[in-house]
Amino acid sequence: MTNLLYDAFFAPLKGRDRAFLILPDGSEISGTAFLDMVHRVANALVAAGVRPGDRIAVQINKSPMALAIYGGAVAAGAIFLPLNTAYTAAEIDYFVGNATPKLVLADGARAEALAPVAQAQGAVLMVVNADGSGSFADLVAAQSDSFAAVARGPEDLAAFLYTSGTTGRSKGAMLTHQNLLSNAEVLTAEWQFTDKDVLLHALPIFHTHGLFVATNISLLAGGAMIFLPGLNMDDMIRLMPRATSMMGVPTFYTRLLDDPRFTADLTAHMRLFVSGSAPLLTETHVQFEERTGHRILERYGMTETNMNTSNPYAGDRRAGTVGLPLPGVEVVVTDPTTGDALPQGEVGMIEVRGPNVFKGYWQMPEKTREELRDTGFFITGDLGQFDADGYLSIVGRQKDLIITGGFNVYPKEVELILDDQPGVLESAVVGVPHPDFGEAVLGVIVAEPGQSPDLAAIDAVLRESLARFKQPKALELVEMLPRNTMGKVQKNELRAIFGDKFAS
Ligand code: AMP
């Protein structure tokens, strides 16, 4: 029986005594030990009633067990649905309602809040704590460590990744075995990953970057990962000497550069630093090279497609560009209104086609039709431009998506809450440059006539209802919002007015 991802990623761990995961305290989990965990998880999923094709929603802290649940889901033929640990119970309610998972796995600390959510949707809720306790962890511990992987072909679904946390907007991108495997194969070859690699992994594993790019490549290449629960500079600096490579969002690089312990000596043995998920400032690229002698390799991708373009490993890595289309991935720049291909050099909509492109949005056929053409091209929503050498630059996002610290925030979700507050007439939420997060969320408010809204009280409401990364870093009161003749709010003007708000 074949199971595309299991056979490529997990089966090769069998009999491997070398470390697969290296933990912050220096302890190691061998390939064999990790595969045993994967098998026990797969058996536990079956024992919990999960059948092939069922969804498993997972909102737990990053840990080896959390990663083994991904492997267990693949082996059991289930669809893995990782969720941002910052999401509130109200946000999770949307995902669970939309994806109708058989099983919801949560940390003990969240279990009470999530129990009614799971119950309302007819899902079973079980607990997994990072320390290895909890009802699901107990079930896992009681299982056998052998498991015959369920047959899965290229077109079978492996995961749903939700594009953002906005109720009514968030879409579950359906990713197949073929989508994930094809991209892992291409990236492993392009970035020359081998079984000698040790990847410094401080990214979250509920997002495509940390879960699919970093983990799938390490698994496919037979490499190891230094698996950090989050971005902690002491750990990064202390453990970098054991690593060969690192992947991060731009914030990782600005944080490293802010640390005087981050020196050329510390990185002399490293072979690769990769950046993505948000634009890397040219300034950061230049400073990084000045400090370390390494040129950061920037690539471009998204939830729906995994990776599309990359600067070359061996050739010229150009700051401010996201490089060249990956082998097997077609990238075209089109007129956003007509969809016609534009001549090289012109700015337009970036569209991509290839084995990496998702199958559509779960239970949203209209959204799928809007963004995925019959020809197979996916309309990314990003605007870009090719230079004469075929390097792509992203010039902006068509939608007003804000990317803060690598996470997406849709302004509308925050605006809806702001508009609801006492004394608020209307609001606009924009992303403005921030030295640490790339962009920061800024809320701009117009008061009702004669009212003066209590900004501190509004801030408190936002903190309660939104994940931390979505909360505005500042609120500004203005007389009126700039609008065009069609009545549309001119967010560019707001960005210009408040562009220096967080300047360093
Ligand atoms: P996500 O689906 O969360 O991975 O976000 C995908 C979006 O992040 C893309 O559509 C781009 O707008 C943006 N993005 C990803 N990588 C880059 C990059 N290297 N430079 C600029 N924007 C990027």
Side-chain angles (χ1 to χ4, degrees):
M1 280 249 223
T2 57
N3 173 316
L4 222 58
L5 290 186
Y6 177 85
D7 296 348
F9 294 163
F10 299 101
L13 293 168
K14 192 169 178 184
R16 174 174 150 183
D17 295 332
R18 276 183 304 120
F20 168 54
L21 297 179
I22 300 163
L23 304 180
D25 65 3
S27 63
E28 296 181 355
I29 298 178
S30 71
T32 305
F34 186 76
L35 185 62
D36 287 349
M37 278 171 80
V38 166
H39 288 164
R40 281 198 295 272
V41 168
N43 281 315
L45 292 174
V46 173
V50 173
R51 301 286 167 262
D54 283 345
R55 276 79 58 203
I56 315 167
V58 180
Q59 192 196 27
I60 58 177
N61 289 318
K62 184 177 173 185
S63 70
M65 174 60 94
L67 198 64
I69 292 170
Y70 165 49
V74 165
I79 301 171
F80 185 63
L81 199 168
L83 293 165
N84 191 324
T85 44
Y87 285 142
T88 63
E91 289 165 321
I92 298 293
D93 187 51
Y94 168 74
F95 297 113
V96 172
N98 182 255
T100 58
K102 182 63 96 25
L103 182 67
V104 177
L105 298 177
D107 282 294
R110 310 293 314 280
E112 203 181 321
L114 293 183
V117 171
Q119 199 185 12
Q121 304 294 348
V124 175
L125 175 81
M126 296 188 85
V127 170
V128 201
N129 294 312
D131 68 1
S133 64
S135 56
F136 187 73
D138 292 345
L139 185 64
V140 169
Q143 303 300 313
S144 144
D145 58 17
S146 75
F147 184 83
V150 170
R152 293 280 101 173
E155 294 302 310
D156 283 317
L157 296 178
F160 288 178
L161 278 195
Y162 276 83
T163 53
S164 89
T166 314
T167 305
R169 286 164 166 261
S170 188
K171 296 163 282 181
M174 297 188 283
L175 296 160
T176 65
H177 279 241
Q178 166 74 3
N179 292 152
L180 301 183
L181 181 59
S182 68
N183 214 238
E185 284 174 342
V186 165
L187 294 175
T188 302
E190 286 292 299
W191 296 343
Q192 301 188 13
F193 270 82
T194 71
D195 60 3
K196 303 279 179 299
D197 268 296
V198 180
L199 181 76
L200 188 55
H201 191 305
L203 291 161
I205 56 167
F206 50 72
H207 184 268
T208 191
H209 196 165
L211 181 63
F212 296 141
V213 183
T215 304
N216 288 352
I217 292 177
S218 299
L219 283 165
L220 190 67
M225 297 193 283
I226 300 173
F227 209 58
L228 305 181
L231 184 65
N232 171 306
M233 276 306 133
D234 291 343
D235 286 343
M236 297 286 279
I237 303 278
R238 183 169 58 81
L239 294 166
M240 196 164 293
R242 292 190 69 178
T244 61
S245 47
M246 180 192 134
M247 291 182 194
V249 297
T251 308
F252 283 25
Y253 294 103
T254 52
R255 292 263 175 95
L256 283 170
L257 285 169
D258 282 345
D259 198 308
R261 296 171 296 176
F262 186 68
T263 60
D265 274 356
L266 190 77
T267 61
H269 67 289
M270 294 284 280
R271 71 166 190 90
L272 182 61
F273 290 92
V274 177
S275 177
S277 296
L280 182 77
L281 294 176
T282 298
E283 184 190 319
T284 310
H285 192 279
V286 169
Q287 279 179 7
F288 199 88
E289 186 174 13
E290 280 169 5
R291 175 88 63 93
T292 66
H294 290 283
R295 289 177 74 81
I296 298 172
L297 184 153
E298 185 170 7
R299 93 297 179 280
Y300 161 66
M302 63 200 65
T303 300
E304 291 93 333
T305 65
N306 291 343
M307 300 305 105
N308 298 310
T309 72
S310 171
N311 272 279
Y313 184 79
D316 186 14
R317 298 180 195 168
R318 295 192 187 164
T321 83
V322 293
L324 309 152
L326 288 163
V329 181
E330 290 171 79
V331 181
V332 291
V333 171
T334 62
D335 181 321
T337 41
T338 65
D340 295 338
L342 290 172
Q344 178 267 311
E346 287 194 25
V347 171
M349 175 62 71
I350 300 172
E351 300 191 24
V352 298
R353 177 165 72 178
N356 55 317
V357 173
F358 75 136
K359 284 292 156 259
Y361 297 114
W362 171 251
Q363 289 186 334
M364 292 188 186
E366 276 175 29
K367 280 277 166 212
T368 303
R369 265 195 303 278
E370 273 169 33
E371 299 185 22
L372 201 52
R373 296 186 190 280
D374 291 342
T375 55
F377 274 99
F378 173 59
I379 305 166
T380 63
D382 291 316
L383 300 172
Q385 166 183 42
F386 277 113
D387 72 12
D389 299 326
Y391 282 69
L392 184 69
S393 301
I394 316 280
V395 298
R397 294 175 298 262
Q398 201 190 35
K399 303 156 203 161
D400 279 313
L401 183 73
I402 300 166
I403 302 185
T404 178
F407 293 124
N408 293 353
V409 180
Y410 282 95
K412 195 81 209 154
E413 185 184 16
V414 187
E415 288 164 6
L416 289 174
I417 298 173
L418 288 175
D419 292 349
D420 258 347
Q421 301 313 306
V424 174
L425 179 66
E426 60 175 352
S427 66
V429 167
V430 293
V432 292
H434 187 284
D436 206 8
F437 295 101
E439 274 186 314
V441 179
L442 180 81
V444 182
I445 292 171
V446 179
E448 281 173 347
Q451 300 286 309
S452 41
D454 180 347
L455 296 186
I458 293 176
D459 196 49
V461 172
L462 291 166
R463 274 167 205 288
E464 218 170 84
S465 33
L466 288 173
R468 197 183 166 87
F469 68 89
K470 296 183 195 169
Q471 295 162 9
K473 294 258 177 302
L475 295 174
E476 292 285 345
L477 216 45
V478 295
E479 288 291 312
M480 60 159 75
L481 295 176
R483 287 196 148 83
N484 69 7
T485 46
M486 301 299 289
K488 287 195 202 303
V489 175
Q490 300 296 280
K491 290 196 166 175
N492 281 347
E493 282 188 34
L494 289 175
R495 287 188 204 107
I497 295 166
F498 295 108
D500 290 340
K501 176 90 191 151
F502 301 103
S504 51

